[in-house]
Amino acid sequence: MIFSSFKWLQLRPAVVTSIVLCSSAAMASDSDVMRGKYLIEIGGCNDCHTTGYAPSGGTVPEEQWLLGDALGFRGGWGTTYPVNLRTYMNNLSKQEWIDKAKTLKTRPPMPWWVLNRMTEEDLSAVYAYIAQLPVIENRVPDYVAPGEQPNGPYIQWPQGPK
Ligand code: HEC
């Protein structure tokens, strides 16, 4: 009897420590993921990078978020397509993403300046959120040069092709 409770006392600190360590690690990454999701939602990324998001009033289910869109944006810059952010992030480490986002400049109408101005902490959270989404291959059309006709649907900006 005395022997067995002695054993329990010896084991307990190790057990308690490992439970505390596990749960605090899980909590930190959960809160990063949640903050990333929040930043994606208020940052308007789904408006372009998720098919049908804006017309649906933001009700597209999360399983379909950020897979890119075959709806092009056509203007003086040619026709651009919002990329599949799940495969995009899957090809980058967190640090590569942060470095890229800080200096990124794309053709319109991607608001690249928003990413340039995000803090490292917020960019990490965006990465944590997107990187834990399942990767789903969904190829969007390639960029089409100005003056060339896109095959699929597009939104024409007032500034027509030059
Ligand atoms: C108004 C539409 C629109 C919104 C809003 C938008 N994007 Fe984009 N995004 C695009 C388009 C179009 C491209 C492709 C640009 C090109 O081909 O040059 C793009 C490209 C990108 C790329 C690829 C950049 C590269 O390496 O070439 C990333 C990363 C990205 N967007 C992230 C985001 C994030 C994160 C948000 C939310 C903060 C966001 N986008 C909001 C339209 C949008």
Side-chain angles (χ1 to χ4, degrees):
M1 199 50 185
I2 292 168
F3 180 65
S4 72
S5 56
F6 175 67
K7 230 169 89 178
W8 166 236
L9 278 175
Q10 280 221 309
L11 280 174
R12 212 166 51 164
V15 172
V16 171
T17 313
S18 64
I19 291 170
V20 169
L21 282 178
C22 285
S23 68
S24 72
M27 267 166 59
S29 82
D30 272 4
S31 70
D32 250 14
V33 169
M34 278 171 64
R35 174 147 183 90
K37 181 179 175 183
Y38 168 76
L39 289 167
I40 291 286
E41 286 190 284
I42 62 159
C45 317
N46 280 308
D47 298 355
C48 297
H49 288 269
T50 298
T51 303
Y53 194 84
S56 78
T59 59
V60 173
E62 196 177 350
E63 301 85 73
Q64 294 162 31
W65 286 13
L66 307 178
L67 294 174
D69 201 348
L71 176 62
F73 291 96
R74 193 178 190 196
W77 58 85
T79 309
T80 49
Y81 297 90
V83 304
N84 180 339
L85 286 175
R86 299 197 195 185
T87 47
Y88 183 91
M89 231 41 112
N90 192 45
N91 288 325
L92 297 176
S93 70
K94 187 167 91 173
Q95 196 54 52
E96 283 170 340
W97 157 246
I98 291 172
D99 294 345
K100 228 176 185 354
K102 282 280 178 199
T103 53
L104 189 72
K105 187 166 186 206
T106 72
R107 293 166 287 239
M110 164 66 203
W112 47 267
W113 52 90
V114 169
L115 295 186
N116 293 176
R117 286 171 205 172
M118 270 195 196
T119 62
E120 264 194 40
E121 215 183 356
D122 285 349
L123 288 169
S124 288
V126 164
Y127 183 88
Y129 173 66
I130 300 178
Q132 56 83 54
L133 292 172
V135 177
I136 300 175
E137 293 301 332
N138 177 46
R139 259 191 68 84
V140 300
D142 291 331
Y143 163 72
V144 179
E148 280 177 34
Q149 183 64 34
N151 288 323
Y154 58 85
I155 294 167
Q156 177 70 60
W157 281 50
Q159 185 194 359
K162 285 177 186 148

